[in-house]
Amino acid sequence: MFLAEFEVLIRQRRATRHFQPVPVERGLLERLLRMAQWAPSGYNLQPTRYIVVEDRALRPALRRACMDQAPVEEAPIVVVFAGDGRAFEDRFDAILAQELREGDMPAAYAERLRRVVPLMCNCGPAGLGWLWKATLLPVVRLFRPLPDVVAVHRRFWTAKQVMLNAMNFILAAEAAGLNTLPMEGFDRNRLRKVLQLPRSMEPVLVVALGYAASSPGRKTRLPLESVVLWR
């Protein structure tokens, strides 16, 4: 896709409030999810999980958890984008092995990740390891720059990773002629209960997907000069 075409795609995307009762083909949906997966993630931990809600019987409870937003019941598909708080513990070794097996990562870099990533992500015994990291970080920053540590800022870090995936999905859906409604208004604990998610799974965004029942309205944006700082 040329840059001009991509710009048109971005500018025409709108949140859709009403959907047609037209199903989304499973193959197309899986293709969109695979495209979402190609978003970048810190240390390639890929913590984003996609809960695809097709079951109509779940929709009333899901709608209540989403602050009674009607598109949750109306759209043929609802995808909950969540972050897996155990991505490091459960997947790091397997991801590293896969990267090495595919020849995409130098062995020296893999060894560096084996030292750095556990320090950044591991919460230690009983999940309390983040305490000493949270205490030590402000002291170390007096002498050298340090990034935010995942173990200390896990929810914030996870949300960043998930939103990158969600934007890939939303733009891919637009390119496929589908429409979306991203929703941040939901009770995450009720959402977990409805979808039977473990506490380690952090819901970040709910996206209704389907074909718009009407043309979305126009939107505006602030002037570029009011949001850009040049240094």
Side-chain angles (χ1 to χ4, degrees):
M1 179 181 288
F2 294 107
L3 182 60
E5 294 173 307
F6 187 58
E7 182 179 12
V8 169
L9 177 75
I10 289 174
R11 292 171 68 98
Q12 75 182 13
R13 187 213 60 79
R14 295 288 183 272
T16 298
R17 297 292 171 182
H18 297 287
F19 293 88
Q20 301 179 51
V22 177
V24 175
E25 182 190 351
R26 171 64 70 89
L28 175 58
L29 177 57
E30 290 179 351
R31 185 178 182 187
L32 299 180
L33 292 169
R34 280 194 294 270
M35 293 170 76
Q37 274 191 289
W38 281 99
S41 68
Y43 312 113
N44 199 27
L45 286 177
Q46 304 170 56
T48 304
R49 301 293 175 261
Y50 315 92
I51 299 92
V52 181
V53 185
E54 297 178 300
D55 188 353
R56 304 304 304 187
L58 285 176
R59 296 302 184 87
L62 189 65
R63 176 173 174 171
R64 285 194 296 274
C66 293
M67 318 311 291
D68 199 35
Q69 296 184 75
V72 172
E73 282 195 278
E74 203 174 275
I77 295 291
V78 173
V79 182
V80 177
F81 288 78
D84 185 357
R86 292 192 52 82
F88 162 70
E89 289 83 356
D90 294 345
R91 306 286 181 99
F92 176 61
D93 290 335
I95 289 170
L96 206 57
Q98 179 177 290
E99 292 286 306
L100 287 167
R101 186 170 60 250
E102 296 296 326
D104 292 332
M105 180 181 291
Y109 184 62
E111 285 305 312
R112 181 185 174 192
L113 289 180
R114 284 195 178 98
R115 294 193 305 272
V116 172
V117 177
L119 182 63
M120 296 292 287
C121 299
N122 199 335
C123 287
L128 297 176
W130 66 273
L131 281 171
W132 73 262
K133 295 178 183 180
T135 304
L136 186 61
L137 282 176
V139 178
V140 176
R141 283 198 175 105
L142 293 173
F143 304 97
R144 57 174 295 179
L146 283 177
D148 286 336
V149 172
V150 177
V152 179
H153 305 282
R154 187 175 295 272
R155 283 183 63 189
F156 176 63
W157 180 85
T158 300
K160 289 191 294 183
Q161 317 306 312
V162 173
M163 292 301 283
L164 288 169
N165 279 257
M167 198 68 237
N168 263 21
F169 180 84
I170 288 167
L171 291 178
E174 189 73 27
L178 287 157
N179 304 95
T180 56
L181 174 62
M183 291 171 274
E184 295 180 280
F186 54 83
D187 183 314
R188 60 193 178 92
N189 288 326
R190 288 177 183 269
L191 199 61
R192 278 200 196 100
K193 185 175 181 180
V194 170
L195 300 175
Q196 299 181 327
L197 302 179
R199 290 201 62 80
S200 60
M201 200 76 73
E202 183 72 31
V204 175
L205 191 71
V206 176
V207 178
L209 174 75
Y211 297 94
S214 58
S215 298
R218 297 183 62 185
K219 289 283 187 179
T220 62
R221 290 295 184 267
L222 293 168
L224 187 64
E225 59 270 18
S226 71
V227 296
V228 177
L229 303 177
W230 301 94
R231 295 290 187 263

